[in-house]
Amino acid sequence: MSGGKGVKRNGISRRGFLKSGGATLAGGAIGIGAAGTAVASSESSPPAIARLLRKATLPAASGARVVVVGGGWSGLTLAKYLKRFNPDFDVVLIDRQSAFVSFPVSNAWLADQVDLDFLSHSFFDAANNHGYRFMAATVLGFDRDSRRVFTEQGYVDYDYLVLAPGIEYDYPRIGVDDPEAQELLFHRYPGGFVTSSELLTIKRKIHRFRGGTFVLTVPSGDYRCAAAPYERACMVAAVFRRRRVRAKILLLDMNSDIVIKREGFARAFDELYGDSIEYLPSSEISALDVDARRIETDFDEYEFDDAIIYPPVRASRLIEEAGIHNPEDPQKAPDTDPFRYHLRNDEHVYVAGDSRAQPFSKGGHTAHSEAQYVAEVIAAHARGREIAWRSPQTMCFSAVDIEPLRAMSIITYYKYDSTTGLFAFDRTHLIDRWDTQGGQASLAWAEGMYRDLFYG
Amino acid sequence: MPMSARAKLGFALALLLLLAANTARALEPITVTLEFQPDLADGRYSYDICARCHLPEAWGNDDGTYPQLAGQHVNVLMKQLLDIRSGRRSNPAMQPFVQQRTIGGYQDLANVVAYISTLPMNPRHAKGPWPPGSPEHAEGEAVYATYCQSCHGAGGEGDNTRAYPRLQGQHYSYMARQARLARDNLRRVDASMSALFTAVSATDFDRALNYISHLPLPAADVAPGVDWRNPDFQ
Ligand SMILES: Cc1cc2nc3c(=O)[nH]c(=O)nc-3n(C[C@H](O)[C@H](O)[C@H](O)COP(=O)(O)OP(=O)(O)OC[C@H]3O[C@@H](n4cnc5c(N)ncnc54)[C@H](O)[C@@H]3O)c2cc1C
């Protein structure tokens, strides 16, 4: 197999073996168990623990309280539309980050096509404009019997709980099992798919790269935003081209082929970045040595100067820790009703967004269209009504070139096949030629979304 | 559902007043469609952006997330575009696509609605749950005749000159969702239409929509089959 510069073979172990300093798992919540009972039973109760056990400072609920966990694309949409569909709801949105930075369009930002202001928005604006409360806190767990959510700012009682905490990286699936090794890998070579600091690190990396081999990976499974890793490879290559850096970009794809917008991306790799991007399909990663900057696949081994390692993903650990996951599912997604989104045995707890169980594409647009429906389901439930199922839609633009920005797009819907009991793609409309109209549309799309989530 | 004679009279009066108000108000969409000579080729070009969401056939979705645009009157399409453009009708996903800086001015809007109006309709739109012959269908027919027909037409064909939407061929699920939004004041609609929500109960309204969804479509307006694909996009 072909490889990049500095490809070497040696007897590196098949599994990750790294050890280094670090604390908790990347992107994960601090686990205290589902019910918070571990905390509740703690006897010594030092101040830090006492804090967890008091009631969070919030005005008394003005109506049925809906607590939304996670202020991403799903949670922000849910909070807004819950309030809209039922103005009597008292909605509280909780996120551990203090500001929102959009992942969609962040690849264009890496290549300076928009500035950070375009991507960054305040949770306060969203809450003030839409009549709900925002709380900056990390959710540690919840207890379904007492209907209580625990955070480091204290607990909040709920009538409805909606979980939209998104995804986490699943490093063991690329052979990195040791938590400390995972932590090190996360900090040095973040994937840029979970938290906003990762994005800032990646931008610095590519704007300061001095040349050599730059590795990007595409995970397998139902990972977040199918097109984004390919789009990112194009944007990284465009930056290197503009900076005239002599670099080889190795795009290690764990899938056997480009999984989406195949023709368009293949043409871009060939026509625009033929001298920089080397696309390597079926590159199942089996081990990764952070210090030696070496990555091992089932067939080959590569050394790199810098990298963006995007491993497979799983649903937020919050779900597994609460014991509401489906143990059969490799992504540890929740055991929910596929049409109503609530836990099968609890109509007061809902899960939406990228941590959902349904196999819909993990995308911001998907999460946004789905959340409007889920908000309506919950509002109807509170009134003792039901509404008909509506499919989410997945819409995704992918930039392939800059100056001017050129992009492709795809939209797809889902249908439920009652004979197989599975969801399938309904009609799909793919525009895989990249043009400036698509580039402009991608920015218009994002602008409309931000307006909806924060201002309109 | 039957209504007392007095209530009916009151409703008729309210309707008359509203109709008068309607004719008096300057109808921007109609002025626009009258004043701009549409260019279909240009409309096809602009529709490319719309097709990224509405798909090339503009047929909408069974579950009512998207409306059928094909077959709709130009003045109605124009009114909706202007409402969405100004934010009067909330549609955040679409709003940026119908701004001056993206699609252009009135001329471009006139072009794109003219283009959409040339598209044949979906031969299999989503119908309501009660088939012809059922009591609910019959009730819907009566409600429709009393409250809706005067504007939306005996066959649900609407009225282009007065910008009353064609409902015939629209997905039942879409109409039901729009009615829910409008009733809860989440979609702003013309006073002529919103007055109905006080006069007609949610159940009766829904039956009327069910009835409309089962109305036949003129064969000439419909595409030859569900597999028809817009050749302009092949
Ligand atoms: C580079 C990139 C490009 C992309 N491009 C597109 C695109 O063009 N189009 C598209 O549609 N999608 C795109 N996506 C995908 C999109 O970003 C995600 O699908 C979307 O963010 C999912 O929304 P979510 O609300 O489920 O999760 P997130 O947006 O990840 O939100 C989850 C939130 O929960 C918070 N949270 C998690 N755990 C806790 C806890 N314990 N306590 C408190 N808060 C917590 C997190 O801080 C986070 O804010 C892209 C993603 C990336 C990374």
Side-chain angles (χ1 to χ4, degrees):
Chain A
M1 277 211 59
S2 65
K5 177 185 134 214
V7 173
K8 252 193 305 183
R9 273 192 175 279
N10 68 18
I12 211 168
S13 85
R14 285 267 133 196
R15 306 260 85 192
F17 55 87
L18 299 163
K19 290 234 158 47
S20 174
T24 51
L25 193 68
I30 305 157
I32 59 155
T37 42
V39 171
S41 67
S42 161
E43 256 153 41
S44 54
S45 274
I49 303 287
R51 198 168 164 188
L52 303 179
L53 296 176
R54 70 173 186 220
K55 199 169 173 163
T57 327
L58 280 176
S62 58
R65 177 160 273 168
V66 191
V67 174
V68 181
V69 178
W73 287 69
S74 179
L76 282 160
T77 313
L78 272 154
K80 169 178 174 173
Y81 284 91
L82 279 161
K83 194 70 195 164
R84 229 179 135 205
F85 290 129
N86 187 345
D88 295 336
F89 277 157
D90 181 286
V91 178
V92 179
L93 176 70
I94 308 180
D95 200 289
R96 62 180 177 210
Q97 306 200 71
S98 55
F100 172 94
V101 178
S102 171
F103 290 118
V105 195
S106 68
N107 285 328
W109 164 78
L110 291 178
D112 304 313
Q113 300 304 292
V114 295
D115 56 27
L116 198 53
D117 275 0
F118 186 75
L119 303 182
S120 322
H121 303 272
S122 156
F123 288 122
F124 297 142
D125 287 344
N128 292 339
N129 289 329
H130 299 137
Y132 59 84
R133 303 218 37 115
F134 171 68
M135 197 175 141
T138 297
V139 169
L140 309 170
F142 50 91
D143 179 38
R144 293 201 283 125
D145 293 331
S146 58
R147 295 199 181 148
R148 183 163 281 187
V149 179
F150 295 91
T151 82
E152 89 286 6
Q153 310 279 335
Y155 63 80
V156 185
D157 291 333
Y158 67 82
D159 295 291
Y160 289 96
L161 175 63
V162 193
L163 302 171
I167 53 150
E168 285 175 28
Y169 296 129
D170 199 357
Y171 287 116
R173 277 162 59 199
I174 54 167
V176 183
D177 297 307
D178 177 55
E180 287 180 16
Q182 292 174 6
E183 182 70 4
L184 181 69
L185 172 55
F186 175 56
H187 283 192
R188 289 255 186 93
Y189 303 111
F193 275 82
V194 178
T195 56
S196 35
S197 271
E198 296 173 59
L199 292 178
L200 299 171
T201 295
I202 288 173
K203 186 157 186 173
R204 274 181 89 79
K205 274 175 191 268
I206 63 176
H207 283 263
R208 290 172 173 231
F209 191 60
R210 296 201 167 166
T213 302
F214 196 100
V215 162
L216 287 136
T217 64
V218 187
S220 51
D222 188 5
Y223 61 92
R224 170 173 278 183
C225 197
Y230 304 102
E231 176 189 50
R232 186 181 278 158
C234 293
M235 292 297 100
V236 172
V239 170
F240 291 168
R241 183 183 62 197
R242 190 179 58 201
R243 290 184 50 227
R244 297 178 204 282
V245 178
R246 288 159 62 87
K248 165 112 310 203
I249 296 168
L250 292 184
L251 182 56
L252 300 180
D253 192 341
M254 299 178 214
N255 304 286
S256 57
D257 201 348
I258 300 174
V259 303
I260 191 170
K261 299 171 184 156
R262 210 199 73 82
E263 300 294 321
F265 280 122
R267 205 157 55 75
F269 295 163
D270 188 42
E271 289 175 21
L272 301 173
Y273 309 113
D275 52 358
S276 59
I277 296 183
E278 189 168 343
Y279 175 68
L280 298 163
S282 302
S283 300
E284 192 68 48
I285 297 172
S286 48
L288 211 150
D289 185 334
V290 171
D291 290 319
R293 288 185 296 207
R294 197 158 47 221
I295 198 162
E296 202 183 305
T297 68
D298 284 345
F299 305 103
D300 255 301
E301 223 182 270
Y302 309 93
E303 281 183 354
F304 55 83
D305 296 290
D306 211 340
I308 300 173
I309 306 295
Y310 183 10
V313 305
R314 46 162 294 164
S316 161
R317 224 158 280 263
L318 209 50
I319 287 160
E320 187 184 4
E321 281 163 2
I324 58 171
H325 64 294
N326 172 2
E328 317 273 282
D329 179 16
Q331 300 211 347
K332 306 283 190 289
D335 191 19
T336 43
D337 180 296
F339 306 109
R340 308 257 144 242
Y341 287 80
H342 55 65
L343 297 182
R344 287 188 199 276
N345 56 4
D346 189 342
E347 297 192 7
H348 288 260
V349 178
Y350 293 72
V351 186
D354 281 0
S355 38
R356 74 176 77 77
Q358 298 89 326
F360 308 139
S361 277
K362 292 183 169 59
H365 193 97
T366 319
H368 175 263
S369 61
E370 169 189 83
Q372 292 175 54
Y373 163 71
V374 177
E376 213 180 330
V377 168
I378 297 171
H381 186 274
R383 296 185 175 121
R385 296 200 214 131
E386 277 204 8
I387 59 159
W389 180 73
R390 296 202 298 273
S391 163
Q393 54 182 282
T394 294
M395 186 179 201
C396 169
F397 290 92
S398 301
V400 303
D401 198 12
I402 59 171
E403 279 130 31
L405 185 65
R406 292 192 284 171
M408 338 183 244
S409 77
I410 192 169
I411 188 162
T412 188
Y413 310 92
Y414 305 86
K415 58 178 178 226
Y416 180 73
D417 183 340
S418 50
T419 50
T420 60
L422 297 171
F423 288 99
F425 287 121
D426 201 349
R427 272 203 69 194
T428 294
H429 182 50
L430 167 68
I431 301 184
D432 62 3
R433 61 162 202 279
W434 10 279
D435 54 19
T436 52
Q437 200 190 19
Q440 288 311 307
S442 68
L443 301 184
W445 168 81
E447 183 202 310
M449 291 290 150
Y450 305 146
R451 176 170 327 121
D452 193 37
L453 302 183
F454 294 92
Y455 314 104
Chain B
M1 288 267 104
M3 213 187 178
S4 77
R6 233 181 100 207
K8 261 192 191 152
L9 186 67
F11 176 72
L13 279 174
L15 198 63
L16 270 178
L17 284 171
L18 284 165
L19 285 174
N22 225 8
T23 26
R25 108 201 127 134
L27 276 173
E28 190 192 10
I30 295 176
T31 320
V32 174
T33 46
L34 285 179
E35 281 186 8
F36 293 85
Q37 241 340 297
D39 175 337
L40 282 179
D42 201 80
R44 149 73 186 86
Y45 175 77
S46 291
Y47 187 71
D48 202 83
I49 262 305
C50 322
R52 288 179 199 247
C53 287
H54 288 278
L55 305 189
E57 295 73 36
W59 280 356
N61 287 19
D62 283 0
D63 65 9
T65 45
Y66 277 84
Q68 160 139 252
L69 300 178
Q72 189 54 273
H73 301 297
V74 287
N75 285 333
V76 173
L77 293 170
M78 183 60 83
K79 168 167 197 299
Q80 298 308 325
L81 287 190
L82 294 172
D83 278 2
I84 293 168
R85 179 177 168 111
S86 70
R88 189 185 132 83
R89 174 172 175 189
S90 160
N91 187 343
M94 177 170 144
Q95 191 175 11
F97 293 93
V98 284
Q99 299 304 310
Q100 175 79 40
R101 73 195 145 74
T102 43
I103 191 170
Y106 286 148
Q107 179 67 58
D108 304 277
L109 296 178
N111 297 346
V112 81
V113 298
Y115 176 75
I116 295 171
S117 73
T118 64
L119 297 173
M121 295 171 80
N122 185 343
R124 209 185 288 153
H125 66 280
K127 317 274 194 304
W130 303 291
S134 64
E136 291 87 351
H137 183 270
E139 279 169 29
E141 182 169 9
V143 174
Y144 187 78
T146 317
Y147 295 107
C148 322
Q149 187 168 311
S150 54
C151 292
H152 290 289
E157 67 280 3
D159 180 348
N160 187 43
T161 55
R162 292 191 294 166
Y164 293 146
R166 177 182 200 173
L167 299 178
Q168 174 193 61
Q170 188 55 277
H171 299 285
Y172 163 79
S173 42
Y174 181 76
M175 293 191 289
R177 192 163 62 80
Q178 294 303 318
R180 215 157 61 222
L181 290 172
R183 181 173 288 275
D184 293 343
N185 281 320
L186 297 175
R187 171 175 165 191
R188 251 188 278 167
V189 287
D190 257 27
S192 55
M193 185 61 220
S194 56
L196 266 297
F197 295 111
T198 355
V200 184
S201 75
T203 311
D204 284 354
F205 205 95
D206 197 37
R207 305 251 152 107
L209 295 178
N210 176 73
Y211 167 74
I212 298 163
S213 72
H214 289 281
L215 287 170
L217 291 172
D221 294 357
V222 178
V226 282
D227 297 329
W228 182 83
R229 290 293 172 258
N230 185 348
D232 292 348
F233 281 77
Q234 295 305 308

